[in-house]
Amino acid sequence: MKDRDIWIKLLKEKYPTKQAVCREIINLTAIINLPKGTEHFMSDIHGEYEAFLHIMNNCSGVIREKVRMLFSETLSVREQQEICTLIYYPREVMNRKRNLNELSEDWYRLMLNYLLELAKMVSSKYTRSKVRRALPKEFGDIIDELLHFMPDEDDNQIRYHRQILDTIIGIENSEEFIVALAELIKRLAVDHLHIVGDIFDRGGDADKILDLLMEYHSLDIEWGNHDILWMGAACGNEASIATVVKNNMKYNNIQILESGYGISLRSLVLFGEQTYPELEVMKAAQKALSIILFKLEGQTILRHPEYNMQDRLLLDKIDYENKTIVSEQVTYAMKDTDFPTVDREHPYELTEGEQKVIQDLKFSFLNSHRLQKHVDFLFEKGCMYKRYNENLLYHGCIPLDEQGNFDGMEIDGNTYMGREYLDYAERMVRKVRKGEAGQDELDFMWYLWTGKKSPLCGRNIKTFERTFIQDKTAWKEPTDPYYKFYHTEKTCNMILREFGLFSPLSHIINGHTPVKTVEGEEPVRANGKLIVIDGGFSQAYHKTTGIAGYTLIYNSHGMRIKAHQPFESVEKVLEENKDIESTSTMFETEKDRIMVGDTDEGKEIKEEIQMLKKLLEVYRGK
């Protein structure tokens, strides 16, 4: 049977009558003529939960904009701010007001009407069926009625509307209804969320961020180098495990390991105490782990000469008598050469004690139910790159050579570069998670975290030098030529074409490298073809970037980028209605509004309409 005949047969089962086909064609045609949904793009959250939660609650400042549009002529600025805070934190606001004895039937009625007006506004560009699917089950029918009532000549609908609200207040169900409306407004304000990498890193609450994202209605994730590091650790890569633990000890974030994921550091701490009794306990553990890490990295590099990372083999370059080391043909003084577990003849072999430490940590990572659940989610929603509505999203880079041409890796006699390289990397990663991989694939996950030509890393990481060499000139981490060439429109167009994107509306949306606004850097580059959205969510980067994160917003009118100022606290929001200050810059405005029909979803709908028209011809006997 031909493909067309199979499609027709399947469609007949779904649309058994001519009228059913006509109805669906009418419905789908109406949908593709609606404005496209609003997309938000964020990256490099780095475990900063409170700031991220607030930006999710205020929809990157969009809620405040909507409130201002609706109420600027009827409400004061303070009254507008109170409505915003209620939408962000409805339960907390009402609990606070209850304690201050400020709740009343009049307040409930006023807030319910304000929230209903906002809900009507944010739902206006969606079909009624899509809005209905977004409604909370407990109040779905009631909210649907309130959103779509129309005044008539006898005011019957107005009285009906008022009676519903009076009943809600009368039976003391107002607070649950306000919570439901607040969640609906936030859900409809953002149609789809893109997280362009690095949920994990310096901040200590990446686990809470992942819990939040797992409840989000529509999103995708482009893996970052810190995400792949945790994914590799959760899959059992020992070098990745040692790196994760070392990073979190360095940034005083061991709570995410012990409390967040139930990963015990007991074996490591005891080993550190025994090995370096003169040091403070946690410093001893950190030093012990550093040596374990550099041994495990060395073993990986020795197994894989194709990684071209021989310059990272440094344990065998130490001159213990002179307390120096040779790195990249330069001799540096060492801060410390007291490494009793390093065998000078076999420097990359683990001692029995070190082997026990890493095996105990590995057991904890593999058996952490919460971590494995989060990593499953990263695999389900994540990828190396994504093409979405004519845009190309990736976290790190597309490796290039010094001439600006695609570069990559030679593996098993095959050279991978450009899109083919990223596809290869994703296949390797997914094989590991499916249990179809061996040591080579598991090692490759570590390479993606730190390798010279890794598309998630893009620089030569100097962890050893930063740990044991005082001279900061040894710390410099050369970056991939990509970061020199991506300022040019020519290079960006070359990359877009490589990934099958030729539309004038196409852009590269990139994270990973903080935008140094304090030094005059701009997030929009290459004549608008590339947008770097790492604005520094992490507090450690605020001085570098001058801001505290970006959100790129893409709606039916075009693209704009929001720069966020540092978040103080939820308490400040509740006490003073103090929101995150965000400035918006519109950098691309479309002459004609972008409709659903112009999106990826719209293209699929148009194909479905064509098939339905063919089925209609069959029913009409043509």
Side-chain angles (χ1 to χ4, degrees):
M1 186 181 290
K2 295 181 180 179
D3 288 345
R4 180 181 181 278
D5 294 334
I6 294 173
W7 270 105
I8 293 297
K9 182 181 178 183
L10 292 172
L11 285 171
K12 275 186 173 180
E13 293 174 3
K14 190 173 181 180
Y15 306 104
T17 67
K18 180 176 70 174
Q19 189 54 45
V21 176
C22 291
R23 183 176 61 247
E24 187 63 10
I25 290 173
I26 294 166
N27 178 48
L28 294 176
T29 303
I31 290 173
I32 62 174
N33 285 286
L34 286 169
K36 76 174 286 295
T38 300
E39 301 170 54
H40 281 200
F41 304 76
M42 286 185 272
S43 80
D44 298 271
I45 302 158
H46 289 174
E48 296 289 346
Y49 172 71
E50 273 213 345
F52 181 70
L53 172 65
H54 186 74
I55 286 173
M56 292 285 278
N57 278 334
N58 78 357
C59 300
S60 299
V62 169
I63 297 297
R64 188 168 52 184
E65 292 173 355
K66 301 293 186 187
V67 168
R68 189 181 300 130
M69 287 171 62
L70 263 182
F71 303 118
S72 61
E73 295 184 3
T74 56
L75 299 178
S76 68
V77 171
R78 179 171 179 78
E79 288 170 328
Q80 294 173 45
Q81 289 173 337
E82 288 176 351
I83 294 170
C84 290
T85 305
L86 179 64
I87 294 169
Y88 306 159
Y89 304 102
R91 293 193 187 280
E92 292 85 347
V93 166
M94 288 185 285
N95 285 338
R96 181 177 173 79
K97 283 189 169 293
R98 184 178 297 104
N99 293 334
L100 296 172
N101 199 29
E102 293 179 357
L103 291 176
S104 66
E105 289 190 359
D106 288 341
W107 184 86
Y108 285 131
R109 185 174 289 103
L110 200 61
M111 291 303 121
L112 285 168
N113 277 296
Y114 289 152
L115 296 185
L116 282 167
E117 287 302 307
L118 277 165
K120 288 177 187 177
M121 172 186 262
V122 296
S123 66
S124 61
K125 68 177 182 179
Y126 300 116
T127 63
R128 188 166 178 176
S129 61
K130 183 166 183 173
V131 173
R132 197 178 292 122
R133 289 195 299 273
L135 296 174
K137 292 180 181 178
E138 301 82 4
F139 300 107
D141 291 340
I142 301 170
I143 295 176
D144 187 45
E145 289 282 353
L146 292 171
L147 289 180
H148 297 98
F149 89 93
M150 295 292 291
D152 57 27
E153 59 181 342
D154 296 320
D155 288 339
N156 292 317
Q157 285 287 315
I158 292 176
R159 284 194 293 272
Y160 175 57
H161 170 275
R162 187 183 300 123
Q163 185 60 55
I164 291 175
L165 294 186
D166 287 343
T167 304
I168 290 169
I169 295 167
I171 63 173
E172 299 183 353
N173 205 208
S174 308
E175 295 194 13
E176 293 304 319
F177 205 78
I178 284 172
V179 170
L181 283 172
E183 294 306 315
L184 175 66
I185 290 164
K186 288 182 281 194
R187 176 165 180 170
L188 294 178
V190 182
D191 191 46
H192 189 82
L193 175 65
H194 306 276
I195 303 293
V196 191
D198 277 1
I199 294 167
F200 291 94
D201 189 19
R202 294 168 183 250
D205 294 313
D207 56 327
K208 295 179 184 177
I209 292 170
L210 282 161
D211 284 339
L212 183 66
L213 292 176
M214 288 177 75
E215 299 298 320
Y216 203 76
H217 60 277
S218 181
L219 84 162
D220 55 68
I221 299 167
E222 290 65 56
W223 300 323
N225 52 318
H226 286 279
D227 303 322
I228 207 74
L229 175 66
W230 277 82
M231 291 161 68
C235 290
N237 180 274
E238 294 176 0
S240 299
I241 289 169
T243 306
V244 165
V245 178
K246 184 180 188 302
N247 286 351
N248 282 279
M249 292 180 76
K250 177 181 177 181
Y251 297 120
N252 296 314
N253 287 335
I254 61 172
Q255 74 272 12
I256 191 176
L257 297 169
E258 295 184 324
S259 303
Y261 289 128
I263 292 168
S264 174
L265 302 183
R266 177 177 170 77
S267 179
L268 169 62
V269 171
L270 290 174
F271 179 76
E273 280 186 296
Q274 294 165 2
T275 308
Y276 304 104
E278 73 283 2
L279 295 179
E280 185 270 326
V281 172
M282 294 311 292
K283 287 185 177 179
Q286 193 170 342
K287 183 177 179 181
L289 184 64
S290 293
I291 297 301
I292 292 171
L293 169 61
F294 298 134
K295 287 184 177 185
L296 291 169
E297 288 186 337
Q299 292 175 16
T300 307
I301 293 166
L302 290 168
R303 282 196 296 269
H304 296 280
E306 73 274 16
Y307 290 175
N308 192 27
M309 293 178 68
Q310 288 73 16
D311 62 313
R312 310 310 310 135
L313 297 172
L314 293 170
L315 284 178
D316 60 325
K317 308 295 190 304
I318 299 172
D319 182 338
Y320 288 90
E321 284 66 35
N322 295 309
K323 295 186 177 181
T324 61
I325 190 169
V326 177
S327 174
E328 297 182 348
Q329 302 180 333
V330 179
T331 301
Y332 296 98
M334 295 275 290
K335 290 190 289 186
D336 183 8
T337 56
D338 178 24
F339 306 141
T341 64
V342 176
D343 182 338
R344 299 186 190 187
E345 296 298 319
H346 307 284
Y348 299 105
E349 288 186 6
L350 295 175
T351 66
E352 185 176 335
E354 289 172 328
Q355 189 66 47
K356 182 179 185 308
V357 168
I358 199 64
Q359 288 306 313
D360 287 348
L361 287 171
K362 184 175 179 178
F363 179 85
S364 286
F365 273 81
L366 290 175
N367 289 279
S368 169
H369 173 74
R370 189 163 180 239
L371 175 60
Q372 295 299 328
K373 181 176 73 170
H374 286 168
V375 169
D376 282 340
F377 175 72
L378 287 171
F379 273 95
E380 177 192 351
K381 296 294 184 181
C383 52
M384 288 291 295
Y385 69 91
K386 193 168 191 69
R387 298 184 307 165
Y388 196 98
N389 289 342
E390 301 298 328
N391 292 312
L392 176 62
L393 289 60
Y394 53 79
H395 177 74
C397 68
I398 308 299
L400 303 177
D401 62 21
E402 292 296 339
Q403 287 72 47
N405 301 311
F406 290 120
D407 198 3
M409 287 187 67
E410 185 176 330
I411 303 173
D412 297 331
N414 297 311
T415 300
Y416 299 94
M417 58 180 64
R419 182 179 182 179
E420 187 180 23
Y421 181 26
L422 271 68
D423 287 339
Y424 170 83
E426 182 155 343
R427 287 198 303 274
M428 294 299 101
V429 170
R430 293 198 182 280
K431 280 179 69 176
V432 171
R433 195 57 176 174
K434 291 176 182 176
E436 301 171 353
Q439 187 65 50
D440 286 351
E441 290 83 359
L442 198 57
D443 287 346
F444 191 68
M445 291 191 77
W446 170 82
Y447 179 83
L448 287 173
W449 146 250
T450 191
K452 288 182 178 179
K453 287 296 176 183
S454 163
L456 299 183
C457 179
R459 71 180 193 272
N460 191 7
I461 294 178
K462 301 289 187 72
T463 308
F464 185 98
E465 290 88 339
R466 289 173 178 269
T467 305
F468 291 123
I469 296 176
Q470 191 73 43
D471 188 344
K472 291 186 179 181
T473 62
W475 297 9
K476 293 180 181 177
E477 298 179 334
T479 58
D480 192 275
Y482 168 85
Y483 295 105
K484 175 175 64 176
F485 289 103
Y486 80 163
H487 290 275
T488 69
E489 191 172 355
K490 177 183 176 183
T491 295
C492 292
N493 283 330
M494 177 185 78
I495 293 171
L496 289 166
R497 288 194 297 270
E498 169 74 4
F499 286 82
L501 296 169
F502 301 91
S503 168
L505 296 177
S506 294
H507 310 80
I508 296 170
I509 299 167
N510 203 168
H512 191 48
T513 54
V515 179
K516 300 173 183 177
T517 58
V518 291
E519 297 179 11
E521 286 188 352
E522 295 287 343
V524 182
R525 300 170 185 179
N527 198 24
K529 297 305 291 184
L530 180 138
I531 306 105
V532 180
I533 61 169
D534 180 1
F537 265 95
S538 174
Q539 293 182 23
Y541 290 119
H542 290 180
K543 288 184 180 179
T544 300
T545 61
I547 57 171
Y550 282 126
T551 301
L552 175 66
I553 300 175
Y554 181 31
N555 60 23
S556 60
H557 297 289
M559 280 188 166
R560 59 184 172 132
I561 195 156
K562 282 250 189 181
H564 309 300
Q565 293 304 308
F567 179 62
E568 292 192 44
S569 68
V570 174
E571 288 72 23
K572 282 281 188 182
V573 179
L574 296 173
E575 289 174 9
E576 303 174 20
N577 296 307
K578 191 174 179 62
D579 205 348
I580 286 181
E581 291 299 320
S582 302
T583 56
S584 180
T585 303
M586 193 85 185
F587 64 88
E588 185 170 286
T589 306
E590 303 305 329
K591 184 175 66 173
D592 299 314
R593 287 190 82 176
I594 305 170
M595 313 306 280
V596 171
D598 302 312
T599 66
D600 295 343
E601 178 191 5
K603 291 172 185 175
E604 294 176 4
I605 293 174
K606 287 176 181 178
E607 290 177 5
E608 188 174 351
I609 289 171
Q610 290 306 311
M611 291 303 299
L612 287 167
K613 286 182 176 179
K614 289 174 182 175
L615 176 59
L616 190 58
E617 290 176 359
V618 171
Y619 279 135
R620 288 172 173 169
K622 293 183 180 180

